[in-house]
Amino acid sequence: MLPETRFPLSRADALARLHDFIPLAGRAYAVRRNHDAGPGGTATTSLLSPAIRRRLVSEADVVAAAVAAHGFGGAEKFVQEVCWRTYWVGWLQQRPEIWTRWQADVVRMEAMLADDGKWQRRYTQALAGQTGIDCFDAWVHELAETGWLHNHVRMSFASIWCFTLRLPWQLGAAFFYRHLLDACPASNTLGWRWVVGLQTAGKTYLARADLIRDLSGGRFRVETPLAREAPPWPADMIPPPIPPAPAMVADPDLRTGLFVTTEDTCLETLSLPGRIVAVAATPDIGGTPAPLKQRVAMAMLADGLDRAATRLGLAPERVDATFGFEAMRDWAARHRLAQIITADAPVGPVKDRLDALAPALAADGVALVRLRRAWDDVAWPRASKGFFPFKAVIPKLLALPPAALA
Ligand SMILES: Cc1cc2nc3c(=O)[nH]c(=O)nc-3n(C[C@H](O)[C@H](O)[C@H](O)COP(=O)(O)OP(=O)(O)OC[C@H]3O[C@@H](n4cnc5c(N)ncnc54)[C@H](O)[C@@H]3O)c2cc1C
Protein backbone atom coordinates (compact mmCIF):
# COMPACT_ATOMS: atom_id res chain seq x y z
CA MET A 1 0.00 0.00 0.00
CA LEU A 2 1.48 3.41 -0.92
CA PRO A 3 1.31 5.62 2.14
CA GLU A 4 0.05 8.62 0.15
CA THR A 5 -3.15 7.08 -1.22
CA ARG A 6 -6.41 5.89 0.31
CA PHE A 7 -7.28 3.75 -2.71
CA PRO A 8 -6.89 -0.03 -2.86
CA LEU A 9 -3.91 -1.15 -4.92
CA SER A 10 -4.41 -4.91 -4.87
CA ARG A 11 -7.37 -7.14 -5.73
CA ALA A 12 -7.53 -8.32 -2.12
CA ASP A 13 -7.77 -4.72 -0.85
CA ALA A 14 -10.29 -3.77 -3.56
CA LEU A 15 -12.51 -6.71 -2.63
CA ALA A 16 -12.24 -5.73 1.03
CA ARG A 17 -13.22 -2.15 0.14
CA LEU A 18 -16.15 -3.47 -1.88
CA HIS A 19 -17.23 -5.64 1.05
CA ASP A 20 -17.12 -2.66 3.43
CA PHE A 21 -19.01 -0.41 1.01
CA ILE A 22 -21.81 -2.81 0.06
CA PRO A 23 -24.11 -1.96 3.00
CA LEU A 24 -24.09 1.63 1.67
CA ALA A 25 -24.75 0.70 -1.98
CA GLY A 26 -28.55 0.76 -1.64
CA ARG A 27 -30.72 3.58 -0.37
CA ALA A 28 -27.85 5.39 1.39
CA TYR A 29 -26.05 5.69 -1.94
CA ALA A 30 -29.12 6.93 -3.78
CA VAL A 31 -29.70 9.64 -1.16
CA ARG A 32 -26.15 10.71 -0.26
CA ARG A 33 -23.98 10.03 -3.26
CA ASN A 34 -23.76 13.67 -4.40
CA HIS A 35 -22.40 14.86 -1.06
CA ASP A 36 -18.65 15.28 -0.78
CA ALA A 37 -16.99 15.68 2.60
CA GLY A 38 -13.58 16.26 1.02
CA PRO A 39 -10.37 14.21 1.21
CA GLY A 40 -10.43 13.93 5.01
CA GLY A 41 -14.17 13.24 5.33
CA THR A 42 -16.32 10.12 5.20
CA ALA A 43 -16.93 9.01 1.62
CA THR A 44 -20.52 8.67 0.35
CA THR A 45 -19.41 6.62 -2.66
CA SER A 46 -17.27 3.51 -3.05
CA LEU A 47 -13.92 5.12 -4.02
CA LEU A 48 -13.43 2.07 -6.23
CA SER A 49 -12.94 3.91 -9.52
CA PRO A 50 -9.13 3.50 -9.71
CA ALA A 51 -9.56 -0.24 -9.02
CA ILE A 52 -12.41 -0.63 -11.51
CA ARG A 53 -10.51 1.40 -14.10
CA ARG A 54 -7.67 -1.15 -14.08
CA ARG A 55 -10.02 -4.02 -13.40
CA LEU A 56 -8.56 -5.05 -10.08
CA VAL A 57 -12.27 -5.58 -9.59
CA SER A 58 -14.65 -5.61 -12.52
CA GLU A 59 -17.97 -3.88 -13.13
CA ALA A 60 -19.48 -7.37 -12.93
CA ASP A 61 -17.92 -7.93 -9.46
CA VAL A 62 -19.28 -4.73 -7.97
CA VAL A 63 -22.74 -4.90 -9.57
CA ALA A 64 -23.21 -8.55 -8.54
CA ALA A 65 -22.27 -7.74 -4.92
CA ALA A 66 -24.64 -4.74 -4.77
CA VAL A 67 -27.58 -6.63 -6.29
CA ALA A 68 -26.99 -9.64 -4.02
CA ALA A 69 -27.19 -7.37 -0.96
CA HIS A 70 -29.99 -4.98 -1.96
CA GLY A 71 -31.85 -6.59 -4.87
CA PHE A 72 -31.92 -4.83 -8.25
CA GLY A 73 -34.51 -2.31 -7.08
CA GLY A 74 -32.51 -1.36 -3.98
CA ALA A 75 -29.18 -1.11 -5.79
CA GLU A 76 -30.54 0.43 -9.00
CA LYS A 77 -28.84 3.83 -8.64
CA PHE A 78 -25.44 2.27 -7.93
CA VAL A 79 -25.83 -0.21 -10.78
CA GLN A 80 -26.76 2.61 -13.13
CA GLU A 81 -23.70 4.64 -12.18
CA VAL A 82 -21.43 1.65 -12.80
CA CYS A 83 -23.16 1.19 -16.14
CA TRP A 84 -22.44 4.80 -17.08
CA ARG A 85 -18.81 3.74 -17.16
CA THR A 86 -19.60 0.72 -19.35
CA TYR A 87 -21.73 2.92 -21.61
CA TRP A 88 -19.02 5.57 -22.08
CA VAL A 89 -16.40 2.91 -22.82
CA GLY A 90 -18.70 1.20 -25.34
CA TRP A 91 -19.64 4.51 -26.95
CA LEU A 92 -16.01 5.59 -27.44
CA GLN A 93 -15.08 2.12 -28.62
CA GLN A 94 -17.35 2.72 -31.59
CA ARG A 95 -16.04 6.24 -32.25
CA PRO A 96 -12.26 6.14 -31.70
CA GLU A 97 -11.92 9.33 -33.73
CA ILE A 98 -13.29 11.35 -30.78
CA TRP A 99 -10.30 10.17 -28.72
CA THR A 100 -7.69 10.90 -31.43
CA ARG A 101 -9.29 14.27 -32.15
CA TRP A 102 -9.09 15.24 -28.45
CA GLN A 103 -5.39 14.28 -28.32
CA ALA A 104 -4.65 16.38 -31.41
CA ASP A 105 -6.65 19.31 -29.98
CA VAL A 106 -4.58 19.26 -26.79
CA VAL A 107 -1.30 19.45 -28.72
CA ARG A 108 -2.65 22.28 -30.90
CA MET A 109 -4.07 24.24 -27.97
CA GLU A 110 -0.99 23.94 -25.81
CA ALA A 111 1.00 25.39 -28.72
CA MET A 112 -1.55 28.22 -29.13
CA LEU A 113 -1.16 29.21 -25.47
CA ALA A 114 2.19 30.81 -26.22
CA ASP A 115 0.50 33.33 -28.54
CA ASP A 116 -2.35 34.36 -26.27
CA GLY A 117 -1.17 36.04 -23.08
CA LYS A 118 -4.64 36.52 -21.58
CA TRP A 119 -5.68 32.96 -22.14
CA GLN A 120 -2.32 31.71 -20.89
CA ARG A 121 -2.66 33.69 -17.65
CA ARG A 122 -6.11 32.23 -16.89
CA TYR A 123 -4.83 28.75 -17.72
CA THR A 124 -1.74 29.09 -15.51
CA GLN A 125 -3.83 30.43 -12.62
CA ALA A 126 -6.30 27.56 -12.99
CA LEU A 127 -3.55 24.90 -12.97
CA ALA A 128 -1.93 26.50 -9.93
CA GLY A 129 -5.23 26.69 -8.03
CA GLN A 130 -4.98 30.50 -7.89
CA THR A 131 -8.22 31.66 -9.47
CA GLY A 132 -9.70 33.11 -6.27
CA ILE A 133 -12.70 30.73 -6.52
CA ASP A 134 -12.31 28.92 -3.19
CA CYS A 135 -13.86 25.56 -4.15
CA PHE A 136 -12.08 25.39 -7.50
CA ASP A 137 -8.67 26.23 -6.02
CA ALA A 138 -9.13 23.62 -3.28
CA TRP A 139 -10.15 21.00 -5.87
CA VAL A 140 -7.04 21.69 -7.96
CA HIS A 141 -4.87 20.93 -4.92
CA GLU A 142 -6.98 17.90 -3.99
CA LEU A 143 -6.63 16.48 -7.49
CA ALA A 144 -2.86 17.03 -7.60
CA GLU A 145 -2.32 15.64 -4.10
CA THR A 146 -4.73 12.68 -4.06
CA GLY A 147 -5.40 11.86 -7.73
CA TRP A 148 -9.16 11.77 -7.21
CA LEU A 149 -12.24 14.01 -7.13
CA HIS A 150 -15.85 13.24 -6.27
CA ASN A 151 -18.24 12.98 -9.25
CA HIS A 152 -20.23 16.10 -8.42
CA VAL A 153 -16.98 17.98 -7.92
CA ARG A 154 -15.77 16.83 -11.35
CA MET A 155 -18.97 18.19 -12.90
CA SER A 156 -18.66 21.53 -11.08
CA PHE A 157 -14.93 21.76 -11.75
CA ALA A 158 -15.42 21.17 -15.49
CA SER A 159 -18.29 23.66 -15.61
CA ILE A 160 -16.29 26.39 -13.85
CA TRP A 161 -13.26 25.67 -16.05
CA CYS A 162 -15.30 26.03 -19.25
CA PHE A 163 -18.00 28.60 -18.45
CA THR A 164 -16.55 30.80 -15.67
CA LEU A 165 -12.85 30.69 -16.56
CA ARG A 166 -13.64 30.34 -20.27
CA LEU A 167 -10.90 27.80 -20.89
CA PRO A 168 -11.20 25.04 -23.50
CA TRP A 169 -12.66 21.77 -22.24
CA GLN A 170 -9.90 19.86 -24.01
CA LEU A 171 -7.19 21.32 -21.73
CA GLY A 172 -9.27 20.68 -18.62
CA ALA A 173 -9.71 17.07 -19.69
CA ALA A 174 -5.92 16.85 -20.20
CA PHE A 175 -5.32 18.17 -16.65
CA PHE A 176 -7.71 15.54 -15.25
CA TYR A 177 -6.22 12.79 -17.39
CA ARG A 178 -2.70 13.55 -16.15
CA HIS A 179 -3.66 13.33 -12.48
CA LEU A 180 -6.72 11.10 -12.00
CA LEU A 181 -5.84 7.65 -10.70
CA ASP A 182 -8.95 6.41 -12.53
CA ALA A 183 -8.16 8.43 -15.70
CA CYS A 184 -10.12 6.73 -18.42
CA PRO A 185 -10.12 7.81 -22.09
CA ALA A 186 -13.88 7.25 -22.27
CA SER A 187 -15.28 8.49 -18.92
CA ASN A 188 -12.96 11.48 -18.82
CA THR A 189 -13.19 12.71 -22.42
CA LEU A 190 -16.92 12.08 -22.66
CA GLY A 191 -17.56 13.45 -19.14
CA TRP A 192 -16.01 16.77 -20.20
CA ARG A 193 -17.86 16.73 -23.52
CA TRP A 194 -21.11 16.08 -21.66
CA VAL A 195 -20.56 19.17 -19.44
CA VAL A 196 -20.23 21.46 -22.49
CA GLY A 197 -23.18 19.93 -24.35
CA LEU A 198 -21.29 17.91 -26.96
CA GLN A 199 -22.63 14.53 -25.85
CA THR A 200 -26.29 15.30 -25.15
CA ALA A 201 -27.18 17.87 -27.81
CA GLY A 202 -27.79 21.29 -26.26
CA LYS A 203 -27.68 20.02 -22.64
CA THR A 204 -24.86 21.54 -20.58
CA TYR A 205 -24.00 21.53 -16.89
CA LEU A 206 -23.99 24.87 -15.05
CA ALA A 207 -22.18 24.84 -11.68
CA ARG A 208 -24.20 26.56 -8.94
CA ALA A 209 -22.67 28.21 -5.87
CA ASP A 210 -25.59 27.25 -3.58
CA LEU A 211 -25.36 23.59 -4.58
CA ILE A 212 -21.58 23.52 -4.09
CA ARG A 213 -21.99 25.05 -0.63
CA ASP A 214 -24.68 22.53 0.25
CA LEU A 215 -23.02 19.40 -1.15
CA SER A 216 -19.66 20.30 0.40
CA GLY A 217 -21.30 20.57 3.82
CA GLY A 218 -20.49 24.29 3.90
CA ARG A 219 -16.72 23.83 3.46
CA PHE A 220 -16.78 26.39 0.65
CA ARG A 221 -18.34 29.86 0.59
CA VAL A 222 -18.10 30.36 -3.20
CA GLU A 223 -18.30 34.14 -2.99
CA THR A 224 -16.60 34.80 -6.34
CA PRO A 225 -19.42 34.93 -8.90
CA LEU A 226 -19.70 31.90 -11.18
CA ALA A 227 -20.96 32.01 -14.78
CA ARG A 228 -24.74 32.45 -14.89
CA GLU A 229 -25.22 30.57 -18.10
CA ALA A 230 -23.66 27.62 -19.86
CA PRO A 231 -24.18 27.97 -23.60
CA PRO A 232 -23.49 24.72 -25.46
CA TRP A 233 -20.08 24.46 -27.13
CA PRO A 234 -20.35 24.66 -30.94
CA ALA A 235 -21.40 21.16 -32.04
CA ASP A 236 -18.65 19.04 -33.59
CA MET A 237 -18.98 16.12 -35.96
CA ILE A 238 -19.76 12.84 -34.23
CA PRO A 239 -18.71 10.01 -36.52
CA PRO A 240 -21.22 7.21 -37.16
CA PRO A 241 -20.63 4.21 -34.86
CA ILE A 242 -18.28 1.46 -36.02
CA PRO A 243 -19.52 -1.83 -34.50
CA PRO A 244 -16.87 -3.46 -32.27
CA ALA A 245 -14.84 -6.21 -33.97
CA PRO A 246 -15.94 -9.73 -32.97
CA ALA A 247 -14.29 -11.11 -29.82
CA MET A 248 -11.14 -13.20 -30.45
CA VAL A 249 -10.68 -16.82 -29.42
CA ALA A 250 -7.43 -18.41 -28.26
CA ASP A 251 -6.09 -21.66 -29.73
CA PRO A 252 -5.80 -24.11 -26.78
CA ASP A 253 -3.08 -26.17 -28.52
CA LEU A 254 -0.50 -23.42 -29.00
CA ARG A 255 2.44 -22.58 -26.73
CA THR A 256 1.12 -19.46 -25.10
CA GLY A 257 2.38 -16.44 -23.17
CA LEU A 258 0.14 -14.34 -20.96
CA PHE A 259 0.67 -10.58 -21.11
CA VAL A 260 -0.72 -8.32 -18.37
CA THR A 261 -1.34 -4.65 -19.12
CA THR A 262 -2.61 -1.79 -16.97
CA GLU A 263 -5.99 -2.04 -18.73
CA ASP A 264 -6.88 -5.31 -17.02
CA THR A 265 -4.94 -6.52 -14.00
CA CYS A 266 -7.08 -9.58 -13.37
CA LEU A 267 -6.15 -11.95 -16.20
CA GLU A 268 -6.29 -15.04 -14.00
CA THR A 269 -10.08 -14.62 -13.86
CA LEU A 270 -10.38 -15.00 -17.66
CA SER A 271 -11.05 -18.38 -19.17
CA LEU A 272 -7.47 -19.25 -20.17
CA PRO A 273 -6.20 -22.09 -22.39
CA GLY A 274 -4.00 -24.82 -20.93
CA ARG A 275 -0.55 -24.35 -22.48
CA ILE A 276 0.58 -21.10 -20.86
CA VAL A 277 4.35 -21.24 -20.40
CA ALA A 278 5.26 -17.61 -19.62
CA VAL A 279 3.70 -14.55 -18.02
CA ALA A 280 4.88 -10.95 -18.33
CA ALA A 281 3.81 -7.34 -17.94
CA THR A 282 4.96 -4.02 -19.29
CA PRO A 283 5.18 -0.98 -17.00
CA ASP A 284 3.61 1.51 -19.38
CA ILE A 285 0.32 3.37 -19.25
CA GLY A 286 0.89 5.88 -22.08
CA GLY A 287 0.70 9.67 -21.96
CA THR A 288 2.57 11.75 -19.40
CA PRO A 289 1.03 10.66 -16.09
CA ALA A 290 1.57 12.53 -12.84
CA PRO A 291 3.99 10.62 -10.55
CA LEU A 292 1.25 9.45 -8.14
CA LYS A 293 -0.90 8.13 -11.00
CA GLN A 294 2.13 6.29 -12.39
CA ARG A 295 3.03 4.74 -9.01
CA VAL A 296 -0.53 3.63 -8.35
CA ALA A 297 -0.87 2.06 -11.80
CA MET A 298 2.46 0.23 -11.32
CA ALA A 299 1.40 -1.10 -7.91
CA MET A 300 -1.82 -2.46 -9.42
CA LEU A 301 0.07 -3.95 -12.36
CA ALA A 302 2.56 -5.66 -10.01
CA ASP A 303 -0.34 -7.16 -8.05
CA GLY A 304 -1.98 -8.37 -11.29
CA LEU A 305 1.27 -9.87 -12.58
CA ASP A 306 2.00 -11.65 -9.29
CA ARG A 307 -1.51 -13.08 -9.06
CA ALA A 308 -1.41 -14.39 -12.62
CA ALA A 309 2.09 -15.85 -12.12
CA THR A 310 1.12 -17.51 -8.83
CA ARG A 311 -2.02 -18.99 -10.34
CA LEU A 312 -0.04 -20.43 -13.27
CA GLY A 313 3.01 -21.45 -11.21
CA LEU A 314 5.32 -19.36 -13.42
CA ALA A 315 7.98 -16.72 -12.76
CA PRO A 316 6.68 -13.18 -13.40
CA GLU A 317 8.67 -11.31 -16.06
CA ARG A 318 8.90 -7.69 -17.18
CA VAL A 319 9.33 -6.59 -20.75
CA ASP A 320 10.47 -3.22 -22.06
CA ALA A 321 8.75 -0.16 -20.64
CA THR A 322 7.17 1.00 -23.90
CA PHE A 323 5.88 -2.26 -25.40
CA GLY A 324 9.06 -2.06 -27.53
CA PHE A 325 8.55 -4.47 -30.38
CA GLU A 326 12.04 -5.91 -29.99
CA ALA A 327 11.54 -6.66 -26.29
CA MET A 328 8.22 -8.38 -26.96
CA ARG A 329 9.64 -10.34 -29.88
CA ASP A 330 12.61 -11.40 -27.73
CA TRP A 331 10.27 -12.53 -24.96
CA ALA A 332 8.17 -14.52 -27.45
CA ALA A 333 11.27 -16.06 -29.05
CA ARG A 334 12.87 -16.95 -25.70
CA HIS A 335 9.80 -18.95 -24.71
CA ARG A 336 9.10 -20.25 -28.24
CA LEU A 337 5.59 -18.76 -28.06
CA ALA A 338 3.13 -19.21 -30.90
CA GLN A 339 0.45 -17.14 -29.20
CA ILE A 340 0.30 -14.26 -26.71
CA ILE A 341 -2.90 -13.70 -24.79
CA THR A 342 -3.92 -10.47 -23.17
CA ALA A 343 -7.22 -8.80 -22.23
CA ASP A 344 -8.92 -6.74 -24.88
CA ALA A 345 -8.10 -3.08 -24.28
CA PRO A 346 -10.70 -0.44 -25.05
CA VAL A 347 -9.83 2.75 -26.96
CA GLY A 348 -6.76 4.39 -25.41
CA PRO A 349 -2.95 4.22 -25.35
CA VAL A 350 -2.70 0.52 -24.50
CA LYS A 351 -4.99 -0.42 -27.39
CA ASP A 352 -2.88 1.76 -29.71
CA ARG A 353 0.23 -0.10 -28.59
CA LEU A 354 -1.39 -3.52 -29.02
CA ASP A 355 -2.67 -2.54 -32.48
CA ALA A 356 0.86 -1.64 -33.53
CA LEU A 357 2.40 -4.71 -31.88
CA ALA A 358 0.08 -7.31 -33.46
CA PRO A 359 1.50 -7.16 -37.02
CA ALA A 360 5.11 -7.17 -35.73
CA LEU A 361 4.42 -10.36 -33.77
CA ALA A 362 2.45 -11.86 -36.65
CA ALA A 363 5.51 -11.42 -38.89
CA ASP A 364 7.31 -13.77 -36.45
CA GLY A 365 4.43 -16.24 -36.54
CA VAL A 366 3.09 -15.23 -33.11
CA ALA A 367 -0.63 -14.47 -32.79
CA LEU A 368 -1.76 -11.72 -30.40
CA VAL A 369 -5.13 -12.77 -29.00
CA ARG A 370 -7.14 -10.21 -27.03
CA LEU A 371 -9.77 -11.89 -24.92
CA ARG A 372 -12.87 -9.80 -24.28
CA ARG A 373 -14.89 -10.12 -21.10
CA ALA A 374 -18.51 -11.20 -21.54
CA TRP A 375 -19.67 -7.97 -19.89
CA ASP A 376 -17.98 -5.86 -22.59
CA ASP A 377 -18.99 -8.21 -25.37
CA VAL A 378 -22.67 -7.81 -24.49
CA ALA A 379 -22.59 -4.12 -23.61
CA TRP A 380 -20.30 -2.40 -26.10
CA PRO A 381 -22.31 -2.98 -29.30
CA ARG A 382 -25.41 -1.59 -27.54
CA ALA A 383 -23.75 1.71 -26.61
CA SER A 384 -24.26 3.22 -30.05
CA LYS A 385 -27.00 5.70 -29.07
CA GLY A 386 -27.82 7.51 -25.79
CA PHE A 387 -27.62 6.17 -22.22
CA PHE A 388 -31.38 5.77 -21.92
CA PRO A 389 -31.71 3.22 -24.74
CA PHE A 390 -28.52 1.61 -23.39
CA LYS A 391 -30.19 0.99 -20.02
CA ALA A 392 -32.19 -1.80 -21.65
CA VAL A 393 -28.98 -3.87 -21.66
CA ILE A 394 -28.63 -3.82 -17.86
CA PRO A 395 -30.97 -6.80 -17.24
CA LYS A 396 -29.00 -8.74 -19.89
CA LEU A 397 -25.75 -7.96 -18.09
CA LEU A 398 -27.22 -9.03 -14.76
CA ALA A 399 -28.48 -12.26 -16.33
CA LEU A 400 -25.03 -13.33 -17.60
CA PRO A 401 -24.01 -16.60 -15.93
CA PRO A 402 -21.38 -16.08 -13.17
CA ALA A 403 -18.83 -18.21 -15.05
CA ALA A 404 -19.12 -15.98 -18.14
CA LEU A 405 -18.61 -12.93 -15.97
CA ALA A 406 -15.40 -14.13 -14.35
C1 LIG B 1 -15.69 15.62 -16.10
C2 LIG B 1 -15.73 14.20 -15.57
C3 LIG B 1 -14.61 13.39 -15.75
C4 LIG B 1 -14.65 12.06 -15.27
N1 LIG B 1 -13.55 11.26 -15.49
C5 LIG B 1 -13.57 9.96 -15.09
C6 LIG B 1 -12.46 9.11 -15.34
O1 LIG B 1 -11.46 9.49 -15.96
N2 LIG B 1 -12.54 7.82 -14.87
C7 LIG B 1 -13.63 7.34 -14.20
O2 LIG B 1 -13.62 6.16 -13.80
N3 LIG B 1 -14.70 8.14 -13.97
C8 LIG B 1 -14.70 9.42 -14.38
N4 LIG B 1 -15.78 10.22 -14.13
C9 LIG B 1 -16.98 9.63 -13.50
C10 LIG B 1 -17.05 9.71 -11.97
O3 LIG B 1 -16.79 11.01 -11.54
C11 LIG B 1 -16.13 8.74 -11.25
O4 LIG B 1 -16.23 7.45 -11.79
C12 LIG B 1 -16.55 8.65 -9.77
O5 LIG B 1 -16.39 9.90 -9.17
C13 LIG B 1 -15.74 7.61 -9.06
O6 LIG B 1 -16.01 7.60 -7.68
P1 LIG B 1 -16.45 6.26 -6.95
O7 LIG B 1 -15.58 5.15 -7.35
O8 LIG B 1 -16.56 6.56 -5.50
O9 LIG B 1 -17.87 6.07 -7.62
P2 LIG B 1 -19.21 5.33 -7.15
O10 LIG B 1 -20.27 6.38 -7.06
O11 LIG B 1 -19.00 4.47 -5.98
O12 LIG B 1 -19.59 4.45 -8.42
C14 LIG B 1 -19.06 3.13 -8.63
C15 LIG B 1 -18.35 3.09 -9.96
O13 LIG B 1 -19.22 3.43 -11.03
C16 LIG B 1 -18.51 4.17 -12.03
N5 LIG B 1 -19.11 5.51 -12.12
C17 LIG B 1 -19.77 6.17 -11.13
N6 LIG B 1 -20.24 7.34 -11.59
C18 LIG B 1 -19.88 7.43 -12.88
C19 LIG B 1 -20.08 8.40 -13.91
N7 LIG B 1 -20.78 9.52 -13.69
N8 LIG B 1 -19.53 8.17 -15.12
C20 LIG B 1 -18.83 7.03 -15.37
N9 LIG B 1 -18.64 6.08 -14.44
C21 LIG B 1 -19.14 6.27 -13.22
C22 LIG B 1 -17.05 4.22 -11.57
O14 LIG B 1 -16.35 3.14 -12.13
C23 LIG B 1 -17.19 4.08 -10.07
O15 LIG B 1 -16.05 3.59 -9.43
C24 LIG B 1 -15.79 11.56 -14.60
C25 LIG B 1 -16.90 12.41 -14.42
C26 LIG B 1 -16.86 13.71 -14.90
C27 LIG B 1 -18.06 14.59 -14.69
Side-chain angles (χ1 to χ4, degrees):
M1 174 75 87
L2 296 170
E4 68 269 39
T5 175
R6 59 176 171 158
F7 298 94
L9 303 175
S10 68
R11 179 162 169 81
D13 285 348
L15 289 172
R17 166 67 54 81
L18 176 61
H19 178 266
D20 292 347
F21 170 72
I22 280 302
L24 300 175
R27 195 174 145 65
Y29 181 83
V31 174
R32 294 285 301 162
R33 71 187 181 91
N34 280 331
H35 291 258
D36 173 39
T42 306
T44 54
T45 61
S46 69
L47 305 185
L48 279 169
S49 53
I52 295 174
R53 162 69 183 95
R54 306 214 178 275
R55 285 209 156 143
L56 275 181
V57 288
S58 65
E59 291 92 327
D61 289 329
V62 298
V63 162
V67 171
H70 300 280
F72 178 62
E76 189 173 359
K77 195 68 213 166
F78 181 71
V79 172
Q80 257 184 36
E81 291 303 309
V82 175
C83 287
W84 264 105
R85 167 175 170 73
T86 304
Y87 168 71
W88 284 140
V89 173
W91 192 95
L92 192 67
Q93 193 63 16
Q94 299 185 54
R95 296 161 183 92
E97 190 187 321
I98 297 284
W99 165 248
T100 40
R101 213 192 286 162
W102 169 69
Q103 290 175 291
D105 283 351
V106 171
V107 172
R108 184 174 52 80
M109 288 174 170
E110 281 178 344
M112 274 164 60
L113 278 171
D115 299 329
D116 185 334
K118 225 162 128 192
W119 189 28
Q120 191 185 41
R121 196 166 55 249
R122 271 184 284 132
Y123 179 60
T124 312
Q125 284 170 343
L127 293 191
Q130 290 172 353
T131 64
I133 304 169
D134 61 352
C135 55
F136 185 91
D137 292 346
W139 294 334
V140 167
H141 294 296
E142 183 180 343
L143 176 61
E145 283 157 25
T146 71
W148 191 84
L149 292 174
H150 181 279
N151 182 57
H152 197 268
V153 167
R154 296 185 202 202
M155 290 162 57
S156 302
F157 185 114
S159 179
I160 294 172
W161 177 284
C162 297
F163 300 116
T164 301
L165 302 174
R166 286 174 291 111
L167 289 166
W169 71 267
Q170 292 93 331
L171 292 183
F175 180 49
F176 267 27
Y177 195 79
R178 195 154 52 246
H179 287 280
L180 282 173
L181 305 183
D182 60 29
C184 158
S187 297
N188 187 51
T189 315
L190 304 181
W192 278 83
R193 286 175 57 88
W194 177 84
V195 166
V196 296
L198 291 174
Q199 284 304 120
T200 314
K203 191 172 178 290
T204 57
Y205 182 74
L206 180 66
R208 278 180 22 212
D210 59 333
L211 205 56
I212 294 170
R213 267 180 227 123
D214 181 27
L215 295 176
S216 67
R219 280 182 300 125
F220 303 118
R221 300 165 71 97
V222 205
E223 283 168 341
T224 310
L226 303 184
R228 288 179 176 203
E229 46 187 32
W233 230 249
D236 60 358
M237 204 277 289
I238 294 189
I242 308 164
M248 298 173 84
V249 180
D251 184 334
D253 297 324
L254 296 181
R255 250 182 104 79
T256 299
L258 190 66
F259 183 55
V260 188
T261 73
T262 49
E263 286 297 311
D264 192 319
T265 53
C266 228
L267 293 198
E268 79 281 7
T269 64
L270 285 168
S271 169
L272 297 172
R275 292 191 66 203
I276 298 182
V277 295
V279 56
T282 186
D284 181 32
I285 57 175
T288 47
L292 179 61
K293 173 180 166 184
Q294 174 76 16
R295 286 201 297 278
V296 164
M298 290 311 108
M300 292 179 175
L301 185 72
D303 181 66
L305 177 60
D306 283 352
R307 258 182 292 108
T310 305
R311 162 82 185 275
L312 296 164
L314 296 167
E317 292 178 74
R318 300 269 176 178
V319 293
D320 172 87
T322 52
F323 286 41
F325 291 176
E326 289 315 313
M328 285 297 284
R329 291 167 85 175
D330 281 358
W331 178 63
R334 230 175 327 117
H335 293 283
R336 290 177 290 112
L337 303 178
Q339 171 174 261
I340 294 175
I341 290 182
T342 190
D344 200 6
V347 165
V350 170
K351 177 179 184 304
D352 293 345
R353 299 259 159 86
L354 294 175
D355 286 349
L357 183 61
L361 289 173
D364 294 347
V366 181
L368 180 65
V369 177
R370 306 179 219 185
L371 297 182
R372 189 176 300 154
R373 293 184 183 273
W375 181 276
D376 299 338
D377 210 28
V378 170
W380 287 357
R382 292 169 170 92
S384 56
K385 299 196 178 95
F387 182 70
F388 288 94
F390 175 77
K391 281 202 308 191
V393 82
I394 295 176
K396 293 191 178 70
L397 292 171
L398 294 176
L400 284 168
L405 284 175

